[in-house]
Each structure stands twice: as C-alpha cells, then as structure tokens.
Amino acid sequence: MTHYETRREFLKKTGLSALGAHLAMGLPSLSQAGVSSQPRKQRLIFVFSPNGVIPQHFWPEKLGADFELKRILKPLEPFRDQTITMHGVCNRIKGDGDGHMRGIGCLLTGIELFPGDIQGGSDTPAGWSMGISVDQFIKNKLQANPETRTRFGSLEFGVMVPDRADTWTRMSYAGPNQPMSPIDDPYQMFDKLYGQQKNRQILASVLDGIQDDYQRLSKMISREDRQLLEQHLEMTRRLEKDLSIELSSDKPRAKESATEVGHAVPTLPPNIEEQNENMPLLSKMQIDLLVNSFAADFARVGTYQITNSVGQPRMKWLGIDEGHHTLSHEPDKNEEAYEKLIKINTWYCEQVAYLAKRLSEVPEPGQDGSMLDHTTIVWTNELGKGNSHTRNNIPFVMVGGGLGWKTGVAHDFKGVTHNRLLMSFCSAMGHPVESFGNPDFCSGGELTGLA
C-alpha cells in the first residue's frame, strides 16, 4: 500500500478535494498507509431543552442497573444499556438575573452572570456569564493538541432559537462576556460545513465534488472502508434531497413575527405555512447535519439547543396550541396542562433518541463499535421543574460511551453542585481541572462512581 509522507503529498497524489481528504484521514486503510494515526476519539454533545421537566414522569424510581425508564424517557429504551440518569445535581449559582437566566447562563459555565440591563421577572437585571462554558473549554484543549485538532473544534446547532441575543438565548460561552450564537438555519449550517457559498445553487457542485472524491477513494481502500464511505455518502444524499427542496421553488418562505409566536421564526422549506409544524423537520435536518459533521471529524464537541430558556414553541403536531413556557407555569393540579407538558418533554426526548440512533448507525471509522460508542450525548435543562423555577435536580441524562463512564445506570447524587459534574466532564475528556466556574462550588472535586 502506498505510503504518503504528508497531508500535502496525499492531496497532490490522490487528486482529492480538501473535504475529501479530511474524510479519508479517518479511514483505517489510509491510516495504515501512514497518512494519520488514530487514537481513540471522544466526542461530547450537549443537548438543551427548556422550562424544566415533570419529575414524577422523568426520574427512575430504582437506582443502579435495575432502573426503569419513566414515560418521558421511554424513547431512550433502545439505548437503555447506554444511558445514565443523574438525579441530585443542583445549580447553586446565585447573583443577578432571574431563575431562567441563571439556569441557562450558568448551566455550562458554573459561574455567576455579570450585572447588566436585561430584566427578567422581579429579579435584578443581569448580563452575560462571567466565564467560559465547559464545551468551549474542552474544545480549546482538544484544538491545542495536533492529534485531536479538527476543522471547527466545536459546532453550535440550534432549532428555532430567537434572533435576539440575550441571556435567555445563549448556553455556550467562549469566555467571560462572550456568548456563542447557535446556528438554527440548516442551510446556513450546510454553508458553514461545506463551503461558504454565496449562492445555494453551488450546493449541487459541492455535493457532486464529494461524490467524485468517493469514486477516487474507493479504488484506494479496503472493502470495510468502502462500506464506511458509502454510509457517509448516503447521509450526504439524504441531505441533498432535503436541501434540494429549497432550490425547487421560488415561493418566498413563510415568516411570522417573533413577538407573536414567542420564539424565532426559522427559514422554512417551501410550501410549509406554519413554522411550529415544521419544527420536527428542522430538528431532523440539524441532527442529520450534526452526525454528518462528526462522521467527517469536522468537530468533536457540539451543542444542540432546542429553542431557548422561556421558549414558547407551540407543538401543534402533538395537538398542543399553547406555548411551552406558558404551560410550564401551570400548577400540578391542572391535569390537562400536566399531560401536555409530559408530551412536550417526551418529544424532546425523542430528538435525543433520534440523535443516538443516527450515531449508532455509523461505524466508528478505524475503530470498533459505532460512533455512539465514542460519543456521549448530555441532555440537560435550565430548570428542574418549570412551575417552581427550581434549579435543584437539574435534568442530566447521558447516552453513549464517549466519556468512558459506566452506562446503563441511574444515579442519585443527593444535592451535589453541578460544578462538580462540569469538572467530571473535563476529566473524562482527558483534561482534569482543580475547579470549574466558581471554585466555591467545587468542594469535593469530581464526582465519584462514574467510571
């Protein structure tokens, strides 16, 4: 088999595009040829959904390995053996801002918000977070090492995140006062991933170029690697089919005032009039893009933010006309609202399950198992329960083996600060820290009993 001394020589000799070469670097056949070495990859995806959960239908009653998934978590049943639930993890951060603001703004940073002029409820106004978020901290560490460096480092996906920039709409921070804006337009994300097209008509040539790369690579690699490439090509074909709808019609995409619906209005495919009904399609497209980008090793850290804190999607496809945040304030005795909230949170869980399914379907390039075996999805929320605004028992549910923790287990940490969990993420990704966020909440260090 040909040995290529450098990436530059590999590109020159094979005639691949830069994108095609990036895909090729993860294949065992070419790794063995000396193009790259392949230490075990670890990936981490933080998935956010808002407004708390219904604890009675969320948390398992039994702890340890003998747990049962309650109604909201039932979509994760196919991945039960790869799931971890973590009851008893609490956001203790105080200071400025209302409960929702501190919920999302401190969720991944573990530190207070700056004073500011964003007013929430009857609490003091606040601004952005005072520190970096754990996803960006880990991204920076991975990017500093040539063996774990990727094209983007991290990718920030969104689904119907408001156009406005305020504390309720941002969960990821590059540093103090540096919120990261998620991309909630699949077409814009496609442009980011596959070339900064000035015109969507370039889409066809980009995808044609990728397919040309596949043809060249197929002559250079093993049968097993050809199967991996075919699966990646199939993902690209599905993406092309979804995005080609956008090119097939000159009809303007529907728009509606953000103030009328309570959240941002996404860019819609043609012929779909109501954006709330289109939310499942947008979610699927973004998840497919996320999996595609991870399979291409464009990034190993990601966030996937569904709406925002105090988000108001109207899930009409579930038979629900009211906004989610409005429903979350209803008392427990309102049985109709209670049932609707269970359905809403179950739908969010279905998105996590779809992401896990897609990752499980892709073999890990150059290594054993699937991409899910090397990726951990962390599903979380800014509140433990919506109508009380508590930040105790913040939902943390993990799926996948990326962190190397024991899966198929339900934990109860009985009130530990969530800063200690953030420290545990850093350690599991190979970069232990003495504290994360506010050090006052890091006493006791990393959580024990996870590995």
Side-chain angles (χ1 to χ4, degrees), residues 51-345:
N51 303 324
V53 297
I54 305 299
Q56 182 180 346
H57 295 277
F58 187 89
W59 296 110
E61 293 181 6
K62 293 182 179 180
L63 300 178
D66 189 27
F67 71 98
E68 294 183 3
L69 294 171
K70 289 290 193 71
R71 182 176 169 188
I72 291 173
L73 296 184
K74 270 295 183 183
L76 293 177
E77 191 66 52
F79 308 100
R80 182 194 174 283
D81 291 342
Q82 293 174 283
T83 296
I84 307 170
T85 66
M86 306 187 76
H87 185 268
V89 180
C90 306
N91 179 350
R92 303 291 192 195
I93 305 299
K94 306 295 183 182
D96 295 333
D98 67 16
H100 282 280
M101 294 163 71
R102 277 179 280 138
I104 190 171
C106 310
L107 181 64
L108 299 185
T109 65
I111 198 167
E112 290 78 8
L113 305 176
F114 280 112
D117 58 2
I118 302 174
Q119 180 65 56
S122 60
D123 297 272
T124 55
W128 302 117
S129 178
M130 292 183 177
I132 192 171
S133 56
V134 70
D135 59 307
Q136 293 303 299
F137 174 85
I138 293 171
K139 184 277 290 282
N140 291 344
K141 293 295 185 181
L142 295 177
Q143 291 298 89
N145 182 349
E147 291 188 356
T148 55
R149 186 179 301 146
T150 56
R151 180 180 173 189
F152 296 106
S154 68
L155 290 166
E156 290 72 45
F157 288 79
V159 176
M160 299 181 80
V161 178
D163 293 329
R164 70 179 194 271
D166 58 37
T167 318
W168 294 286
T169 67
R170 301 292 185 262
M171 66 183 290
S172 183
Y173 285 80
N177 253 338
Q178 299 178 62
M180 302 284 291
S181 300
I183 296 176
D184 66 351
D185 180 347
Y187 310 107
Q188 183 182 348
M189 181 58 80
F190 183 88
D191 288 350
K192 177 184 176 81
L193 295 174
Y194 294 102
Q196 299 295 324
Q197 296 105 318
K198 296 179 181 179
N199 189 320
R200 287 197 178 109
Q201 297 292 343
I202 298 175
L203 168 64
S205 63
V206 171
L207 293 173
D208 286 346
I210 293 173
Q211 295 183 60
D212 289 343
D213 286 336
Y214 279 114
Q215 295 299 320
R216 292 188 179 95
L217 281 170
S218 65
K219 302 174 184 178
M220 304 162 52
I221 57 179
S222 68
R223 182 176 62 182
E224 291 77 10
D225 282 353
R226 281 196 294 273
Q227 292 175 347
L228 290 176
L229 282 173
E230 180 58 35
Q231 289 167 348
H232 192 86
L233 182 57
E234 181 58 32
M235 288 191 288
T236 306
R237 290 188 187 115
R238 287 200 300 266
L239 177 62
E240 180 180 18
K241 183 178 179 181
D242 285 337
L243 296 183
S244 64
I245 298 174
E246 176 70 8
L247 305 177
S248 66
S249 172
D250 294 328
K251 180 180 178 180
R253 293 185 296 275
K255 284 285 184 180
E256 194 170 335
S257 169
T259 58
E260 293 174 354
V261 299
H263 54 72
V265 180
T267 301
L268 299 179
N271 305 319
I272 298 180
E273 298 290 336
E274 300 181 38
Q275 67 263 8
N276 279 300
E277 291 182 359
N278 194 45
M279 189 171 167
L281 174 60
L282 290 167
S283 180
K284 178 182 180 297
M285 291 172 70
Q286 290 286 67
I287 288 172
D288 286 343
L289 276 170
L290 194 163
V291 173
N292 223 34
S293 64
F294 272 34
D297 205 22
F298 288 165
R300 298 184 187 178
V301 177
T303 54
Y304 186 77
Q305 181 180 325
I306 307 176
T307 71
N308 57 289
S309 180
V310 305
Q312 283 276 44
R314 291 169 168 81
M315 299 190 179
K316 297 180 180 180
W317 61 93
L318 301 179
I320 299 172
D321 293 324
E322 301 93 334
H324 179 193
H325 179 241
T326 300
L327 283 169
S328 73
H329 277 261
E330 290 296 318
D332 292 348
K333 64 182 180 182
N334 185 335
E335 294 182 2
E336 182 179 359
Y338 197 76
E339 178 65 22
K340 289 178 179 179
L341 288 168
I342 293 172
K343 289 182 178 180
I344 289 171
N345 279 282

Side-chain angles (χ1 to χ4, degrees), residues 1-4 24-38 222 224-225 366:
M1 186 174 289
T2 306
H3 181 91
Y4 300 101
M25 295 301 179
L27 296 173
S29 298
L30 298 178
S31 173
Q32 294 163 7
V35 173
S36 64
S37 60
Q38 287 294 308
S222 68
E224 291 77 10
D225 282 353

